[in-house]
């Protein structure tokens, strides 16, 4: 971090190599869109590198990066809702639900189909519940770190996680699934 602050390019590359994957996974799970996740990951690191002087070194760097990524995801969601409202159409990327690896539906396994169904349901959760669920269960953060990333209390994390799991179970049950979260 100190080397990046003095402008050493190799330090920036090391930070990117170290933290790119967890940030991408978080954004991908938050948006449900692999291409948007790539763009938002890049935006996250651009914003982080330009704001390095403001980073509080007493806090974990990954938490700070996740906070920036969370804000990028929220901005993306607002822009997407506005675009949808203005044009009264779904974005082109919502036109169909194709798996990332483009395997024909008749070749997909039951596990892959179930995973896609659960991921689609997670994306439909309200943002506050989705963010909490992703940080706690997908990213595996502890309650305190999740609270820190979201800027809420640990009790609020616990409540949101309970509500997210309940709502996810409800969404899946309404689709005819039997999953309990």
């Amino acid at each position: 971090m100190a080397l990046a602050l003095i402008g050493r390019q190799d330090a920036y590359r090391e930070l990117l190599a170290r933290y790119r994957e967890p940030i991408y996974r978080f954004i991908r799970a938050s948006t449900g869109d692999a291409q948007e996740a790539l763009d938002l990951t890049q935006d996250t690191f651009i914003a982080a590198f330009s704001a390095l002087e403001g980073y509080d070194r007493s806090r974990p760097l990954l938490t700070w990066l996740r906070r920036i990524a969370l804000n990028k995801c929220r901005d993306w969601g607002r822009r997407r809702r506005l675009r949808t409202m203005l044009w009264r159409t779904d974005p082109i990327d919502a036109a169909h639900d194709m798996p990332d690896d483009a395997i024909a539906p008749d070749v997909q396994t039951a596990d892959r189909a179930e995973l896609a169904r659960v991921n689609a349901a997670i994306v439909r959760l309200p943002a506050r519940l989705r963010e909490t669920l992703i940080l706690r269960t997908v990213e595996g953060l502890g309650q305190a770190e999740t609270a820190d990333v979201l800027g809420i209390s640990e009790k609020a994390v616990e409540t949101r996680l309970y509500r997210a799991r309940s709502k996810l179970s409800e969404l899946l049950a309404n689709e005819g699934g039997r999953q309990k979260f």
Side-chain angles (χ1 to χ4, degrees):
M1 179 60 86
L3 294 174
L5 282 169
I6 62 170
R8 294 269 308 267
Q9 292 302 310
D10 55 330
Y12 285 107
R13 280 191 293 277
E14 177 61 29
L15 290 171
L16 184 60
R18 190 176 296 176
Y19 297 109
R20 178 180 48 226
E21 284 304 313
I23 294 300
Y24 172 79
R25 277 192 321 268
F26 170 68
I27 293 172
R28 171 74 166 91
S30 296
T31 63
D33 185 311
Q35 188 59 45
E36 289 294 336
L38 287 172
D39 292 342
L40 291 172
T41 299
Q42 181 178 359
D43 292 347
T44 296
F45 281 99
I46 290 169
F49 290 161
S50 64
L52 275 180
E53 285 112 19
Y55 167 63
D56 176 6
R57 292 185 190 189
S58 67
R59 298 179 61 190
L61 180 61
L62 187 55
T63 300
W64 182 68
L65 291 170
R66 280 190 176 117
R67 182 77 178 213
I68 294 170
L70 176 63
N71 288 332
K72 295 294 178 187
C73 289
R74 288 175 176 171
D75 290 346
W76 173 81
R78 282 190 289 273
R79 284 190 309 271
R80 185 175 176 161
R81 281 190 300 280
L82 179 62
R83 183 177 63 200
T84 300
M85 182 186 73
L86 291 175
W87 294 100
R88 296 202 164 284
T89 60
D90 286 334
I92 192 71
D93 58 336
H96 54 78
D97 291 325
M98 293 293 293
D100 289 344
D101 52 11
I103 296 174
D106 59 331
V107 177
Q108 291 182 357
T109 64
D111 287 345
R112 183 170 288 286
E114 182 65 9
L115 180 60
R117 191 172 78 86
V118 171
N119 282 336
I122 288 172
V123 170
R124 288 195 311 268
L125 289 172
R128 291 176 182 224
L129 300 181
R130 181 179 62 244
E131 293 162 357
T132 305
L133 182 71
I134 290 167
L135 288 170
R136 286 286 285 133
T137 60
V138 177
E139 289 297 310
L141 298 185
Q143 198 152 315
E145 191 173 5
T146 300
D148 194 26
V149 169
L150 296 174
I152 60 176
S153 71
E154 290 184 45
K155 184 63 177 171
V157 169
E158 183 179 329
T159 301
R160 285 183 186 181
L161 184 59
Y162 173 79
R163 288 180 181 161
R165 287 177 172 162
S166 296
K167 182 69 174 171
L168 183 59
S169 292
E170 179 184 314
L171 287 170
L172 293 170
N174 288 341
E175 292 176 356
R178 294 180 285 273
Q179 285 268 326
K180 273 298 221 190
F181 292 89

